[in-house]
Amino acid sequence: MEIQNSKGNQWSARKIDHSYIVSIDNHANIVETLTDFVRNQNIRAGEVTGIGAVSEATLRFFNPATKNYVDKTFKEQMEVTNISGNVSEIEGKLTLHLHITLGREDYTALAGHLLEAKIRGAAEFIFYPLNTRVVKLKNEETGINLYDFEK
């Protein structure tokens, strides 16, 4: 078993064989910090999952009828019960596509595409890199970036 520790801008990680365990600093922005991590580790494709707690989150909802996104920010302490997503390349840039489920103090939940969230407490992630390059291109019919395996 090969183990290697690394540290970056507001994150620390342990690589075990081909997977990573990642911790994000308190008050860091999730998407910004995880994007720094994947670029630092040159992860071009893969899966990510995580949990934690946030004090603020901006979610996005896609309306297929209009092909438009609606964004909404929630400013309250919430438990991150799940973050899941992937790493791909869009227009030449490594990009995280993350969805999140958030638990509120009244035990209701919010869910959606994660634009950004600020850690308040802890954030723990596991990355499963794939040894490939995956490109997404905008599909005009759906209005969404989809995998293009020909690229």
Side-chain angles (χ1 to χ4, degrees):
M1 178 180 344
E2 179 186 333
I3 297 175
Q4 178 183 358
N5 294 336
S6 56
K7 192 159 180 61
N9 186 22
Q10 298 191 299
W11 58 266
S12 57
R14 173 170 286 173
K15 182 178 182 184
I16 303 168
D17 295 327
H18 301 290
S19 300
Y20 293 85
I21 301 168
V22 181
S23 178
I24 293 181
D25 295 348
N26 195 25
H27 307 295
N29 291 316
I30 291 174
V31 177
E32 176 185 336
T33 304
L34 291 181
T35 299
D36 180 66
F37 166 76
V38 297
R39 287 183 179 149
N40 182 279
Q41 299 300 310
N42 198 30
I43 298 172
R44 305 189 61 76
E47 178 186 8
V48 59
T49 185
I51 58 173
V54 299
S55 60
E56 179 178 326
T58 301
L59 307 183
R60 172 170 273 185
F61 182 83
F62 181 74
N63 182 331
T66 63
K67 297 183 186 173
N68 289 316
Y69 291 94
V70 178
D71 301 346
K72 188 166 183 178
T73 300
F74 301 88
K75 294 183 178 186
E76 59 191 89
Q77 185 65 25
M78 296 173 281
E79 290 287 327
V80 177
T81 62
N82 183 56
I83 291 179
S84 60
N86 58 56
V87 180
S88 64
E89 186 179 310
I90 299 175
E91 296 179 0
K93 285 178 35 179
L94 290 177
T95 304
L96 287 167
H97 180 193
L98 301 174
H99 286 213
I100 191 168
T101 305
L102 298 163
R104 297 173 121 172
E105 185 178 8
D106 66 359
Y107 298 98
T108 60
L110 297 169
H113 174 88
L114 177 62
L115 284 184
E116 192 54 273
K118 184 177 286 280
I119 298 300
R120 177 83 192 280
E124 303 165 337
F125 298 89
I126 299 179
F127 275 83
Y128 304 98
L130 298 170
N131 190 22
T132 189
R133 175 179 175 247
V134 178
V135 175
K136 288 184 181 179
L137 295 175
K138 186 160 190 170
N139 177 283
E140 294 306 320
E141 179 186 346
T142 63
I144 299 173
N145 292 315
L146 302 174
Y147 290 133
D148 184 337
F149 299 115
E150 303 300 315
K151 300 290 178 195

